[in-house]
Amino acid sequence: FFFGIVVELFGSMEHSILKFAHIANVPCYTGLECQKEMCEHLLALGADKLFFITDATVDKLHGEYFEPLKNVETGPQVHKYIVPCGDACKSWDVMSALVEWLFACEATKRSVICTFGGGACINVGGLVASMVFRGMKYVSIPTTLLAMHDVVTSLKTSICFQGRKNNIGTYYAPILSLMDVAFCRTLPAAELFSGLGELAKNAAFFGGDHFSGFVEALTKSPAHKRKADGSEATFSLDDQALMKLVNLGVKAKMDVLAEDAYEKKFGMVFEYGHTVSHSIEKAYGDGTIPHGLGVTYGMLACSQFSEKLGFMTPEDRKAHDDMCNLLVSRWPLPEPRPTANKILELAMRDSKRGITGEKSHELSEALLRSVGNPVQTPSMLTALDKGLYWDWLVGMGFPVEE
């Protein structure tokens, strides 16, 4: 048994079921260099047309991966749409263009959308799938470490609107998830670090194997630090480490979402560091701060909040921060930095606002007492004075606009 469900081999791929409470049971197949099996799974769907939504980088690196589907005499028609990379694809304009494309290509209820890319691509493709015909079938095919363990393990779909992160979206399940971990071999260091950042969040909240697995990944593989001038760090993970990390990440999410599919109760723990992260990411501009790295910086802010509020001892904060610094020490925030004023303004417009009934001077975050010991509230979020965030931003060296 694995994360509460049976895992079995299907050819060279592991078969599991991602159980989202009573909402959906999604078949998931995970393997390494499994192109043939991936194509066979798509053909088995019996679709009249397959609509691949991918981004420019994935198309350049892996655009030929599903070409064999075009050579099947009685197979489906295959269409492809290339969206911008990263959060730039999570826009109203891109969403509208995808809907127009589907209708122009005469999509039907037998057609299947295949989201082939990172988390942003899967987010917008899933949102489109949830709306067209009041729900088209779609398959998630992640190509990044972050998407493999943190995006396909969620029902959330979204775009970003009016400068806010993930403020338009739905909950919608794919009919199938297909993962070839070999895609991660082509990821730059920043994308690997991004995937590790969300694993740092799991390590902090759940401790145990999640903590040791994260620490092992950061200490086993050597890396050269990224410079603030933007020059890239070098970092790699072997196939065995990647498979282990994907499995750990999936286990963390599905142990919770098997009971809380919409992440509105205990599942809110997966928002740890995200109010801070989303505001920093948006202030820098889409594509500058990889999401998982932003989350890890957000975790450092949250530990300071917890200590100042009396939830966390200095010793427990050090243990937490030492883990986070294994990652962020290799990826310093780039210069020039946005102002603390701009970041705080964005944080006060976070999409979780209202859950804790915040006052006008408050924002909300999930908090910890120590690694593996969250602050328990009805929503798992704690309202806190925005001044705590301001103090952290200034202490981190974000400039202040007079």
Side-chain angles (χ1 to χ4, degrees):
F1 284 80
F2 174 65
F3 50 85
I5 52 182
V6 176
V7 174
E8 58 186 353
L9 289 177
F10 181 92
S12 64
M13 303 184 79
E14 287 186 345
H15 171 223
S16 57
I17 300 293
L18 305 181
K19 178 177 174 57
F20 296 94
H22 64 285
I23 306 300
N25 293 318
V26 180
C28 179
Y29 294 87
T30 306
L32 190 71
E33 296 183 346
C34 45
Q35 178 190 25
K36 179 176 181 291
E37 290 90 340
M38 299 263 276
C39 289
E40 288 173 348
H41 281 298
L42 292 179
L43 289 173
L45 297 175
D48 59 350
K49 299 172 184 176
L50 295 175
F51 290 93
F52 282 87
I53 299 173
T54 190
D55 67 44
T57 298
V58 173
D59 191 57
K60 179 179 178 181
L61 293 171
H62 310 295
E64 303 299 312
Y65 191 89
F66 290 106
E67 282 297 301
L69 294 171
K70 296 180 179 179
N71 300 323
V72 178
E73 186 174 347
T74 59
Q77 295 180 26
V78 178
H79 302 265
K80 179 168 65 177
Y81 192 103
I82 300 174
V83 298
C85 296
D87 268 10
C89 77
K90 293 172 62 172
S91 72
W92 192 274
D93 288 344
V94 170
M95 180 186 70
S96 298
L98 286 169
V99 172
E100 292 176 3
W101 168 65
L102 289 168
F103 287 134
C105 295
E106 299 183 345
T108 74
K109 291 191 175 183
R110 277 189 59 206
S111 303
V112 177
I113 293 173
C114 301
T115 54
F116 182 37
C121 176
I122 294 172
N123 279 174
V124 68
L127 177 57
V128 169
S130 74
M131 295 188 301
V132 175
F133 301 131
R134 297 194 182 97
M136 282 184 69
K137 298 174 184 177
Y138 94 97
V139 177
S140 58
I141 309 171
T143 59
T144 65
L145 176 59
L146 177 64
M148 288 177 186
H149 71 76
D150 192 62
V151 178
V152 301
T153 52
S154 177
L155 299 181
K156 293 178 178 178
T157 75
S158 66
I159 58 171
C160 305
F161 188 65
Q162 294 183 341
R164 299 169 69 180
K165 184 95 171 178
N166 300 335
N167 56 334
I168 294 178
T170 61
Y171 293 93
Y172 193 65
I175 59 169
L176 178 67
S177 290
L178 299 173
M179 297 194 281
D180 187 342
V181 177
F183 290 137
C184 292
R185 295 171 181 167
T186 62
L187 295 177
E191 278 298 331
L192 288 172
F193 286 164
S194 187
L196 287 167
E198 288 282 8
L199 290 169
K201 173 196 69 182
N202 297 342
F205 250 95
F206 300 109
D209 290 343
H210 301 285
F211 187 92
S212 59
F214 173 81
V215 171
E216 180 184 1
L218 266 295
T219 54
K220 186 176 180 181
S221 298
H224 298 288
K225 180 178 177 181
R226 177 188 181 276
K227 297 179 181 179
D229 65 5
S231 54
E232 185 63 79
T234 58
F235 181 74
S236 62
L237 292 165
D238 61 36
D239 292 339
Q240 183 178 5
L242 287 165
M243 288 290 284
K244 179 180 179 180
L245 290 169
V246 168
N247 287 341
L248 275 173
V250 171
K251 177 175 173 26
K253 291 291 287 287
M254 299 318 300
D255 280 351
V256 174
L257 271 61
E259 300 295 330
D260 183 15
Y262 291 149
E263 302 175 54
K264 291 183 179 293
K265 299 175 184 176
F266 190 77
M268 196 62 75
V269 299
F270 296 117
E271 291 294 313
Y272 185 48
H274 279 59
T275 301
V276 173
S277 174
H278 288 169
S279 60
I280 292 175
E281 291 173 57
K282 280 298 181 185
Y284 265 103
D286 291 341
T288 304
I289 308 294
H291 174 64
L293 283 157
V295 169
T296 313
Y297 278 102
M299 292 166 59
L300 290 171
C302 287
S303 69
Q304 180 169 304
F305 303 160
S306 287
E307 184 182 3
K308 289 195 172 185
L309 291 169
F311 294 131
M312 185 178 279
T313 67
E315 295 75 19
D316 286 330
R317 182 184 173 193
K318 183 178 186 303
H320 171 280
D321 290 3
D322 284 350
M323 179 198 67
C324 294
N325 283 322
L326 287 173
L327 183 57
V328 299
S329 65
R330 298 173 179 181
W331 209 94
L333 290 167
E335 303 289 348
R337 298 188 183 191
T339 66
N341 312 65
K342 182 177 181 180
I343 297 171
L344 184 60
E345 177 188 355
L346 288 164
M348 298 302 289
R349 300 165 58 200
D350 185 76
S351 61
K352 296 183 293 298
R353 192 158 189 83
I355 293 175
T356 63
E358 306 96 334
K359 297 176 182 176
S360 61
H361 60 88
E362 293 178 325
L363 50 78
S364 294
E365 269 284 13
L367 297 177
L368 291 174
R369 297 182 184 277
S370 61
V371 170
N373 183 16
V375 174
Q376 299 277 350
T377 70
S379 66
M380 298 307 295
L381 298 176
T382 298
L384 49 96
D385 192 282
K386 66 181 181 182
L388 290 171
Y389 190 16
W390 177 262
D391 291 344
W392 182 82
L393 290 168
V394 173
M396 283 291 292
F398 288 97
V400 175
E401 182 181 317
E402 298 298 338

